């Protein structure tokens, strides 16, 4: 959600067009996913190793998803859909 909202925001700035509220929807979805992670980490008392793994995944996935979203957005949508199905 956050990555798509960022790219949507940049595209709206480049083209000087409104997005009809789509950015807000994507940011709400990103907030929802963040809260899922937060609750899960609190509920299972995540250890230091788990927190480091989450950080490493974020550090790796953010640039990778940004690059993939720039090159071929449907691939990222398919990947996120797969993650949602397995969760």
């Amino acid at each position: 959600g956050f990555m798509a909202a960022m790219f949507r925001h940049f595209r709206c700035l480049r083209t000087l067009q409104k997005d009809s509220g789509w950015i807000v929807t994507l940011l709400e979805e990103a907030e929802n996913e963040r809260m899922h992670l937060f609750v899960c980490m609190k509920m299972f008392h995540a250890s230091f190793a788990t927190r480091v793994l989450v950080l490493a995944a974020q550090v790796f996935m953010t640039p990778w998803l940004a690059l993939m979203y720039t090159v071929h957005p449907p691939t990222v949508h398919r990947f996120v859909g797969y993650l949602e199905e397995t969760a």
Side-chain angles (χ1 to χ4, degrees), residues 41-81:
M41 302 240 336
K42 284 284 189 184
M43 195 166 87
F44 295 113
H45 304 290
S47 66
F48 179 73
T50 304
R51 292 173 190 270
V52 168
L53 284 173
V54 168
L55 178 64
Q58 290 173 342
V59 166
F60 170 73
M61 293 301 286
T62 301
W64 184 80
L65 287 172
L67 176 65
M68 289 305 297
Y69 201 84
T70 304
V71 174
H72 197 251
T75 302
V76 177
H77 292 296
R78 191 173 301 131
F79 175 69
V80 170

Side-chain angles (χ1 to χ4, degrees), residues 23-35:
I23 293 172
V24 174
T25 303
L26 292 169
L27 288 175
E28 286 172 354
E29 178 63 24
E31 174 70 11
N32 183 32
E33 294 302 325
R34 185 184 73 84
M35 289 309 294

Side-chain angles (χ1 to χ4, degrees), residues 1-42:
F2 183 79
M3 195 66 59
M6 178 184 68
F7 278 100
R8 182 96 177 168
H9 171 72
F10 289 153
R11 184 173 67 190
C12 287
L13 288 177
R14 278 193 316 272
T15 61
L16 298 176
Q17 294 178 346
K18 293 185 177 184
D19 75 325
S20 303
W22 187 237
I23 293 172
V24 174
T25 303
L26 292 169
L27 288 175
E28 286 172 354
E29 178 63 24
E31 174 70 11
N32 183 32
E33 294 302 325
R34 185 184 73 84
M35 289 309 294
H36 281 248
L37 178 62
F38 181 70
V39 166
C40 201
M41 302 240 336
K42 284 284 189 184

